[in-house]
Amino acid sequence: GLQPGALEVSVRQGLPHAAEWAGLRNREKPSSFLGTKWKDTAEIVIIGGGCIGVSLAYHLAKAGMKDVILLEKSELTAGSTWHAAGLTTYFHPGINLKKIHYYSIKLYEKLEEETGQAVGFHQPGSIRIASTPTRVDEFKYQMTRAGWHPAEQYLIGPERIQELFPILNMEKVLAGLYNPGDGHIDPYSLTMALAAGARKYGALLNYPVQVTNLSPRSDGTWEVETPHGIIRTNRIVNTAGFWAREIGTMIGLHHPLIPVHHQYVVTSTIPEVKALKTELPVLRDLEGSYYLRQERDGLLFGPYESQEKMKLQESWVTNGVPPGFGKELFESDLDRIMDHIEAAMAMVPVLKQADIINTVAGPITYSPDILPMVGPHQGVRNYWVAIGFGYGIIHAGGVGKYLSDWILGGEPPFDLIELDPNRYGKWSTTQYTATKARESYGFNNIVGYPKEERFAGRPTERVSGLYKVLKSKCSMGFHAGWEQPHWFYKSGDEIGYKPSFRRTNWFEPVGREYKQVMEKVGVIDLTPFGKFIVKGNDSVKLLDHLFANVIPKVGATNISHMLTPRGQVYAELTVSHLSPGEFLLVTGSGSELHDLRWIEEEALKGGYNVEIKNITDEMGVLGIAGPFARKVLQKLTIEDLSDSAFKFLQSRYIKLSDIAATAIRISYSGELGWELYHRKEDSAALYNVIMEAGQEEGIDDFGTYALNALRLEKAFRAWGAEMNCDTNPLEAGLDYFIKLNKPADFIGKQALKQIKEKGLKRRLVYLTLETANIDPEGNESVWHNGRVVGNTTSGNYSYSTQQSLAFAYVPTELSKVGQKLEVELLGQNYSATIVEEPLVLTEQTRTRLQKKGGKKGPKSA
Ligand SMILES: Cc1cc2nc3c(=O)[nH]c(=O)nc-3n(C[C@H](O)[C@H](O)[C@H](O)COP(=O)(O)OP(=O)(O)OC[C@H]3O[C@@H](n4cnc5c(N)ncnc54)[C@H](O)[C@@H]3O)c2cc1C
């Protein structure tokens, strides 16, 4: 049986793809790649011939790009690819990656026909097993997030599971998440088929050719050094798998990647498996944390060990990958996975009688959050990456297509912000990467809650000046390396992070903070914002080209959007014109380097004479908001803060009790407020004087959860939710900020004009819904007449009107106020109504109406 004694097996034998590869290994290697063409100029050089690089070459060549060159230092697939288990699934807990999976599977289904190469694709379906009630909730949560995607996915009961997987012990099984089109593919053959396709469309795949150095040229092009000579190219893409870090080092980048050990075992023939008429679906026992699939007449089993037990290959990060590795595997270590083997034997009892005939232990490259890094890299021109793939086999097809569309079209074809390589920065150190990779590997199968927080590696060295002051007083959230308060504790609260699919311990406290800001005054740490200074002779011209809004006058601020050439929303920033030609640009914490890259690239491309400086780490930001905000701040400054002297959307340099700050009268809460930009080392002092000054007014802290509740009631859109690369600003209802009539031909203007002419197919609507103990959070299915017609983008509880509310995209014909719809939450459809925006008027609107003698009070909407 599957006992340690039976585990003395030879590592490199057995699997058909492994055997095929072994054949390649033993063949004498050509000293040069005579037989293929050598060219010393290329449109693009792809470094690394694993499934990812080859898929990119295939897609670019197929789309018509000329001079695509892929360089591989040994043989195609000779990194992580050749020995992968090859699992393919439609499922992804995220939203955007489902599209990548979908595309990959559809491509793999027709690849053999297209290229003439068999790929060994099996699609017996897959079942994820729930054996706890929380897991059943998770599946329901996942169902509503999948309902508006094309892939089939079903929540099934024990009977159906037993029918599909007759050799399962049903004792603990409560439910299953079933994806009928799932299965597995032979990664070696898949890559070879993509390579055949790439060659057919004209790409050069040159191997063995090792890239030994990279030199940027002043015009933004590159010189790629190899033992065979230099190749000049317009663009390089790093697809070097577990060597990707070494390629980065050649140009001074430290990609946060680390190889982890992953093992799977294969059994000999099992009579009960052999007797089956159809192939077993792939099984994922989430509590046992392993996958299990049929391999011929036996089973293949792969576990994810806990973070304590899993193994990192740290020496490769410190010393580099040993030369020659890639043709090797790691020593297998079955003791490490014994708990999982036992769990599997309990779930699939026939395993007890099986012998292990093969084990495979190989390196998988992990990024801290186990999502790959895909796209152009900030700080280095024309350097792209597609690295850090934990699941490269299922991602290869979709990522190749996505990147190729982006490279050829000049913008991401759809929103995939979670893969942006620029989500990391200097704060993602080697130590951080190792700690996080450990956690990510160990958490492969944990329950994925809404608003999930993970705590390994925190805090990073990037903390706000208030971190020490606030850390014990609140539940912190992690944003691009920063810690930011989510909500604050008071005596009697159940403190800490208590995730749930329903309302949980922060629900009441957030209501308290909400009330604090609506009725008194609150202070919030906004330091994690990305902040840039843009100045120089051409700054106005550059910003006019980048932004769809007009350029604010000196001393003024506005909200401006950067659009893509197709007219989609790339970013949203707050732009303040500090002094003639000098601007402060502020963006969300998650989009700092994402936005900076775009701005820098446009500035370079257009030859603008500007200086762009990232001051994110030097500046602290405090927000103060609520009816008494003015009264409190006025105590600290001689500057006149009255409504007529310091108007909404004005910015000014002021001193608050001797601390210098750029004050902007703006608040995402929609209440009277200022954002105070100051030197980070002054944050604690500034916070203290404000708190002191506000004693009488009952000043208190608030966090980002309350801020979100406040902005939703004001119907303020959020970047990344209501607007992103999948939406244009008109359907998002951002018309007010888009100046199609301004003289400058800003990026996206022409496309947007056409979109406007054609008319909108869908619109963002504002919904209220009656629920019990649960609120929408975004990405849920919206139903009408028994069909899914759209999706929510964000949601929350409205503390003032005491009901749930959400933003959602629905077809234009269903977008009128009063329209009845349904929103699916945890397996139940709740009736929803489109209402007029906003639920609560902003402070300026209230003040304006009051002055006119009109309606009064916050609830007058
Ligand atoms: C045991 C195991 C099981 C797995 N199971 C699955 C699974 O079931 N499903 C799934 O989706 N994923 C699975 N994976 C993960 C998957 O194998 C990887 O994510 C994927 O293969 C990564 O592909 P890649 O193209 O990024 O990298 P690689 O395959 O590592 O390719 C990188 C290539 O770059 C080349 N290279 C490096 N440096 C240079 C240089 N300087 N010059 C030229 N060339 C260079 C290398 O030789 C190599 O061929 C598994 C991995 C392991 C180890």
Side-chain angles (χ1 to χ4, degrees), residues 20-35:
E20 243 171 297
W21 193 86
L24 274 173
R25 277 180 59 230
N26 298 335
R27 212 173 53 197
E28 200 172 315
K29 253 194 300 168
S31 57
S32 75
F33 52 91
L34 297 172

Side-chain angles (χ1 to χ4, degrees), residues 635-654:
K635 296 182 197 178
L636 298 170
T637 182
I638 49 166
E639 199 79 29
D640 182 358
L641 300 182
S642 67
D643 195 37
S644 50
F646 200 146
K647 296 198 178 78
F648 180 59
L649 290 181
Q650 283 191 335
S651 54
R652 190 158 310 166
Y653 175 79
I654 63 173

Side-chain angles (χ1 to χ4, degrees), residues 810-840:
V810 295
T812 307
E813 63 273 17
L814 295 175
S815 67
K816 290 212 177 61
V817 168
Q819 174 72 47
K820 298 278 179 210
L821 297 163
E822 286 159 47
V823 176
E824 181 188 342
L825 302 174
L826 282 194
Q828 195 179 324
N829 280 13
Y830 293 90
S831 70
T833 312
I834 300 180
V835 296
E836 208 161 315
E837 307 175 13
L839 275 189
V840 177

Side-chain angles (χ1 to χ4, degrees), residues 194-209:
L194 289 166
R199 288 195 194 94
K200 178 172 127 188
Y201 300 117
L204 282 186
L205 311 181
N206 286 349
Y207 48 88
V209 179

Side-chain angles (χ1 to χ4, degrees), residues 462-654:
R462 187 186 217 195
V463 288
S464 129
L466 284 182
Y467 176 68
K468 280 203 187 107
V469 183
L470 300 180
K471 71 174 182 190
S472 61
K473 292 167 66 178
C474 64
S475 178
M476 291 275 191
F478 188 72
H479 302 273
W482 302 96
E483 300 288 325
Q484 192 174 27
H486 275 162
W487 61 278
F488 285 84
Y489 307 145
K490 292 269 182 248
S491 67
D493 287 347
E494 189 191 348
I495 67 167
Y497 166 66
K498 302 266 150 50
S500 169
F501 291 100
R502 298 177 177 75
R503 286 175 196 155
T504 175
N505 62 333
W506 48 261
F507 182 76
E508 298 289 338
V510 171
R512 187 172 64 215
E513 289 172 25
Y514 169 90
K515 212 164 162 239
Q516 174 74 30
V517 175
M518 290 300 289
E519 293 174 6
K520 292 180 186 165
V521 55
V523 173
I524 183 168
D525 185 8
L526 299 171
T527 302
F529 279 159
K531 313 151 205 113
F532 321 121
I533 293 286
V534 178
K535 60 183 178 191
N537 287 345
D538 293 339
S539 58
V540 171
K541 243 170 51 190
L542 171 66
L543 299 191
D544 219 14
H545 161 72
L546 284 171
F547 288 111
N549 205 344
V550 292
I551 303 301
K553 296 201 177 71
V554 176
T557 294
N558 69 17
I559 309 282
S560 290
H561 298 85
M562 299 200 290
L563 308 183
T564 69
R566 277 193 300 138
Q568 309 291 88
V569 182
Y570 189 78
E572 182 185 68
L573 293 94
T574 308
V575 178
S576 301
H577 202 160
L578 301 179
S579 64
E582 181 179 358
F583 295 87
L584 170 66
L585 270 48
V586 178
T587 186
S589 57
S591 44
E592 175 196 344
L593 300 181
H594 164 268
D595 293 8
L596 185 62
R597 186 200 67 81
W598 184 267
I599 297 167
E600 287 173 340
E601 174 69 21
E602 287 301 323
L604 278 169
K605 240 176 28 193
Y608 293 89
N609 179 11
V610 289
E611 190 192 324
I612 301 166
K613 203 170 159 218
N614 185 3
I615 53 164
T616 301
D617 287 332
E618 291 144 48
M619 273 215 155
V621 189
L622 273 187
I624 177 166
F628 301 143
R630 176 181 290 122
K631 204 171 157 201
V632 172
L633 279 195
Q634 192 66 79
K635 296 182 197 178
L636 298 170
T637 182
I638 49 166
E639 199 79 29
D640 182 358
L641 300 182
S642 67
D643 195 37
S644 50
F646 200 146
K647 296 198 178 78
F648 180 59
L649 290 181
Q650 283 191 335
S651 54
R652 190 158 310 166
Y653 175 79
I654 63 173

